[in-house]
Amino acid sequence: MLAIGTLAKRTGTKVQTIRYYEQIGLLPEPGRTEGGQRRYDDNDLDRLAFIRHARQLGFTLEAIRELLDLSDNPSRSCAEVDVIAHRQLKEVEARIARLEALRKELKRMLRECSRDTVSDCRVLEVLRDHSACLADHDTGA
Amino acid sequence: MLAIGTLAKRTGTKVQTIRYYEQIGLLPEPGRTEGGQRRYDDNDLDRLAFIRHARQLGFTLEAIRELLDLSDNPSRSCAEVDVIAHRQLKEVEARIARLEALRKELKRMLRECSRDTVSDCRVLEVLRDHSACLADHDTGA
DNA sequence: CTTACAAGCTACAGTGGGTAGAGGTTCAAG
DNA sequence: CTTGAACCTCTACCCACTGTAGCTTGTAAG
């Protein structure tokens, strides 16, 4: 049986985050000692490791909730998992595309900076006048 | 003189967002009609356009605040602006690098999916076992 | 001049995904 | 038995907005 701090260390999670996951129903309520401290077993460890790993891959907690639901019903179709993972891939690719447009624009802005006083700074000028932009850009997230 | 809704339309901003920018001191308090409605002029329009454009380029509101301060003092060195823009470029590049690692991992995961039932789904398996990952990955933001 | 109603106002709550701190209690080693 | 690290709950905070409730104002048509 693991105390919350041990679980935290083993999974690279903060203690508060574990309690937060419990609060939002992502982790089940664990058993407690007589004094009221949480105690975890290997199932909890696996589940938390799964969550952390999925988070590192950028899945939202909602997506992770769906994945855990599917994972809890081994007879269901893998296609549903596939859909979620594909959705995540699409989101990641969209974010990359937006960021590359930003990068291009920022680089262009910096290349053109005359480096004198602010009054003739190209960076500020570009920011002031969107129409000077070559690319469409939008952080989106 | 522009009403807040007109300003919102002209800059592609939501009305609430304009009030929020005022609240946090990014936009100055505008004049009001006798009835208490905000009225804006072209300076406000320019300032808001600047903010929105910088946001689209991914600058944080704090960075934008610095940029506006610099912009308000035209005699100061352009180098400070340059520093902020470079910092932003570095952040964007770091985010791109992280997302590309994610993309790689997600694609690998999906490629290996057997598409049968959940019980032998490769996607879930990879998520369960981080050690199966080839790449380091971390969303970082 | 009245009426209708779009657009404005304030104030507060909620989003995602946690993180930090106050103030008190429990566990385990020595 | 004592110490102190680790645990507990509760609350508030972060960013950058967004939405809602319940009210007031501005403006154009009749």
Side-chain angles (χ1 to χ4, degrees):
Chain A
M1 297 300 260
L2 310 167
I4 197 169
T6 315
L7 185 66
K9 248 173 227 155
R10 295 250 185 110
T11 56
T13 315
K14 303 220 164 175
V15 166
Q16 296 103 305
T17 305
I18 296 174
R19 290 198 281 247
Y20 169 71
Y21 287 162
E22 178 186 330
Q23 193 190 314
I24 63 170
L26 216 52
L27 285 176
E29 289 185 30
R32 302 264 186 160
T33 63
E34 292 203 359
Q37 298 196 357
R38 291 169 179 83
R39 288 296 178 265
Y40 298 93
D41 61 21
D42 283 350
N43 275 348
D44 297 313
L45 184 69
D46 289 347
R47 195 175 176 92
L48 181 54
F50 182 102
I51 295 169
R52 292 313 289 173
H53 192 193
R55 283 296 294 138
Q56 280 169 358
L57 285 168
F59 288 89
T60 64
L61 293 181
E62 264 327 290
I64 292 169
R65 207 187 286 277
E66 290 180 65
L67 289 169
L68 285 167
D69 278 354
L70 291 167
S71 181
D72 289 343
N73 298 294
S75 62
R76 287 177 66 185
S77 169
C78 176
E80 295 174 65
V81 173
D82 211 64
V83 164
I84 296 170
H86 261 106
R87 198 170 66 206
Q88 176 59 16
L89 177 61
K90 288 288 157 237
E91 270 170 41
V92 166
E93 289 184 334
R95 280 207 268 164
I96 289 171
R98 279 193 298 262
L99 287 170
E100 296 208 314
L102 293 196
R103 183 171 66 130
K104 197 172 151 189
E105 193 59 33
L106 284 167
K107 283 192 123 166
R108 194 178 65 88
M109 209 165 75
L110 284 163
R111 207 166 49 235
E112 292 183 4
C113 184
S114 66
R115 290 173 174 276
D116 274 354
T117 57
V118 161
S119 58
D120 48 20
C121 178
R122 276 295 292 164
V123 172
L124 290 175
E125 204 174 310
V126 169
L127 286 174
R128 266 195 287 272
D129 184 8
H130 191 156
S131 65
C133 280
L134 297 178
D136 275 353
H137 48 70
D138 201 330
T139 60
Chain B
M1 297 300 261
L2 311 167
I4 197 169
T6 316
L7 185 66
K9 249 173 228 155
R10 294 252 185 109
T11 56
T13 315
K14 303 221 164 174
V15 165
Q16 297 103 305
T17 304
I18 297 174
R19 291 198 280 246
Y20 169 70
Y21 287 162
E22 178 185 329
Q23 194 189 313
I24 63 169
L26 216 54
L27 285 176
E29 288 185 32
R32 301 264 186 161
T33 62
E34 292 202 0
Q37 296 196 0
R38 292 170 179 82
R39 288 295 179 267
Y40 297 93
D41 61 22
D42 283 350
N43 276 347
D44 298 313
L45 183 69
D46 289 348
R47 194 174 177 92
L48 181 55
F50 181 102
I51 295 169
R52 291 314 288 173
H53 192 194
R55 282 298 294 138
Q56 281 170 356
L57 284 168
F59 288 89
T60 63
L61 293 182
E62 264 328 290
I64 292 169
R65 205 187 288 276
E66 291 180 64
L67 289 169
L68 284 168
D69 279 355
L70 291 168
S71 181
D72 289 343
N73 297 294
S75 62
R76 287 176 66 184
S77 168
C78 177
E80 295 176 65
V81 173
D82 211 62
V83 165
I84 297 169
H86 262 106
R87 197 170 68 207
Q88 177 59 17
L89 178 60
K90 288 288 158 238
E91 271 170 41
V92 167
E93 289 183 335
R95 280 207 268 164
I96 289 172
R98 278 193 299 263
L99 287 170
E100 296 210 315
L102 294 197
R103 184 171 65 129
K104 198 173 149 190
E105 194 58 33
L106 285 167
K107 282 193 125 169
R108 194 179 66 89
M109 209 164 76
L110 284 162
R111 207 165 48 232
E112 293 183 3
C113 185
S114 68
R115 289 173 173 277
D116 273 354
T117 57
V118 161
S119 58
D120 46 22
C121 178
R122 275 296 292 165
V123 173
L124 290 175
E125 205 173 310
V126 170
L127 287 173
R128 266 194 287 270
D129 184 7
H130 191 156
S131 66
C133 279
L134 297 179
D136 274 354
H137 50 70
D138 201 333
T139 59

